[in-house]
Amino acid sequence: MEAHLDIQPLTGSLGAEIRGVDLARPLADAVLRDLRRAIIEHLVVFFPGQELSPQQQKNFTALFGEICQLPYIRPLDEHPEIIAVLKSPEERGISTFGGTWHSDFTFLERPPSISVLYALEVPPFGGDTLWANMYDAYETLSVGMRGTLDGLCAMHSGHVYGAARPPTHLKTSTSMDISRNNTEADAERAHPVVRLHPESGRRALFINPVYTTRFEEMTEEESAPLLHFLYGRATSPEFTCRFSWTPGAVAVWDNRCTLHLAINDYDGKRRLLHRTTVQGERPRSVAGRASELNATCR
Ligand code: SIN
């Protein structure tokens, strides 16, 4: 059966808007198949004008796999699978949740595959979110650089929730109940720098400025110049898309091949979204090795 989804790509790199589907209702198999295909093709898809109860958001998210309960962030009391991404009007001059380029919780052994973000309250302007295409970031590198990166692992840690590093100069949001100073969050975990996507079969860079600390067996100082170069490549304007939220809009993205960043330009306004997150698999290197095979990912 044809699903007849209306899919409009937003840029030449990633992102598409999808109309003609009500995410609050059970989806026909053909629709779900086409949605999955659209996420593989466009990496992040947007559904304006939805109306989802927390349970309906969970039902929709579970279509993509097991919903994970995230460490360190206090979820909704009634729905431990949902976190409220909130900045309130009185919070000025603070850093916001998701305000630096990242892929969700890459320090976990099985980092999230899909995330679903549903907008409840948004500022009249500002508060957009950016996504970046990590396939393009990889594929536009030279053959020599790709070959070098294919064999590398990088270390990831949840140090922003940890105790080892000095706090940043910016105050962080108090609207969200985030637990910090957790010593286990400082532990590093190795994942391949170039990740083989299990569904598309494509290679994507799998590093990010929030959770990646260094290349394996290199110091942070040694790693920083190359990481910095790669982040610059990954977030080149031509590899990004930008979404302006309206109440009821839903974004669904694939963390295995994208980065994202919430733009913090709406001091004095309230912004509230609900996020659900799907547990992913252990990242596989291009040699087909999963990062759990050894303590390190070699
Ligand atoms: C996130 O990083 O999940 C939040 C993104 C946003 O608030 O736009």
Side-chain angles (χ1 to χ4, degrees):
M1 195 179 95
E2 283 295 308
H4 299 306
L5 293 179
D6 175 6
I7 303 178
Q8 296 297 330
L10 293 181
T11 74
S13 180
L14 80 167
E17 206 163 278
I18 302 185
R19 293 179 187 270
V21 57
D22 179 355
L23 304 184
R25 299 163 69 96
L27 301 182
D29 289 349
V31 173
L32 183 56
R33 187 198 58 219
D34 285 5
L35 284 188
R36 289 204 177 109
R37 200 175 286 161
I39 297 167
I40 297 294
E41 189 174 336
H42 300 287
L43 321 190
V44 53
V45 294
F46 306 101
F47 303 87
Q50 301 290 325
E51 209 174 310
L52 295 181
S53 67
Q55 187 58 51
Q56 287 166 331
Q57 179 169 352
K58 289 195 292 186
N59 294 346
F60 171 67
T61 306
L63 297 172
F64 300 97
E66 188 189 335
I67 304 180
C68 52
Q69 288 187 33
L70 298 171
Y72 312 129
I73 300 170
R74 185 169 164 190
L76 300 187
D77 287 340
E78 305 288 304
H79 300 278
E81 305 89 346
I82 299 181
I83 59 166
V85 177
L86 173 64
K87 181 179 160 189
S88 25
E90 57 280 4
E91 294 189 298
R92 293 172 180 272
I94 58 154
S95 66
T96 48
F97 183 74
T100 303
W101 283 107
H102 67 287
S103 170
D104 291 333
F105 280 56
T106 60
F107 56 91
L108 296 176
E109 189 178 0
R110 293 173 57 189
S113 50
I114 299 292
S115 296
V116 176
L117 194 59
Y118 171 53
L120 293 154
E121 295 172 61
V122 295
F125 49 84
D128 295 355
T129 307
L130 299 173
W131 278 265
N133 182 333
M134 297 299 268
Y135 294 130
D136 282 350
Y138 174 77
E139 288 166 6
T140 54
L141 294 168
S142 65
V143 176
M145 179 58 83
R146 277 182 273 150
T148 302
L149 297 176
D150 282 349
L152 291 181
C153 291
M155 309 307 291
H156 298 241
S157 91
H159 59 87
V160 289
Y161 310 104
R165 286 168 197 252
T168 62
H169 66 287
L170 274 179
K171 282 185 288 177
T172 47
S173 169
T174 50
S175 296
M176 295 177 67
D177 190 350
I178 299 181
S179 145
R180 302 190 192 271
N181 294 312
N182 301 280
T183 46
E184 83 281 1
D186 295 314
E188 288 184 308
R189 171 167 284 120
H191 288 310
V193 168
V194 180
R195 180 173 186 176
L196 197 59
H197 193 288
E199 288 163 70
S200 70
R202 294 173 69 190
R203 299 174 183 203
L205 278 186
F206 190 64
I207 48 172
N208 69 88
V210 173
Y211 301 123
T212 306
T213 48
R214 60 188 176 89
F215 294 109
E216 190 183 31
E217 295 183 335
M218 296 188 207
T219 65
E220 290 187 19
E221 193 182 13
E222 288 166 341
S223 307
L226 180 52
L227 287 174
H228 183 73
F229 165 77
L230 294 171
Y231 297 146
R233 171 62 59 101
T235 60
S236 305
E238 66 272 29
F239 301 152
T240 67
C241 76
R242 177 172 183 144
F243 187 66
S244 293
W245 294 95
T246 45
V250 173
V252 181
W253 67 89
D254 190 333
N255 286 292
R256 298 165 293 187
C257 51
T258 58
L259 298 182
H260 58 282
L261 171 150
I263 300 177
N264 185 10
D265 62 350
Y266 56 97
D267 270 5
K269 309 281 189 313
R270 182 176 161 92
R271 181 178 184 272
L272 171 66
L273 305 97
H274 279 178
R275 201 185 91 192
T276 35
T277 314
V278 178
Q279 164 120 53
E281 57 286 315
R282 294 182 169 111
R284 290 202 153 262
S285 73
V286 296
R289 287 180 296 228
S291 49
E292 83 284 11
L293 288 182
N294 298 300
T296 66
C297 83
R298 275 169 297 140

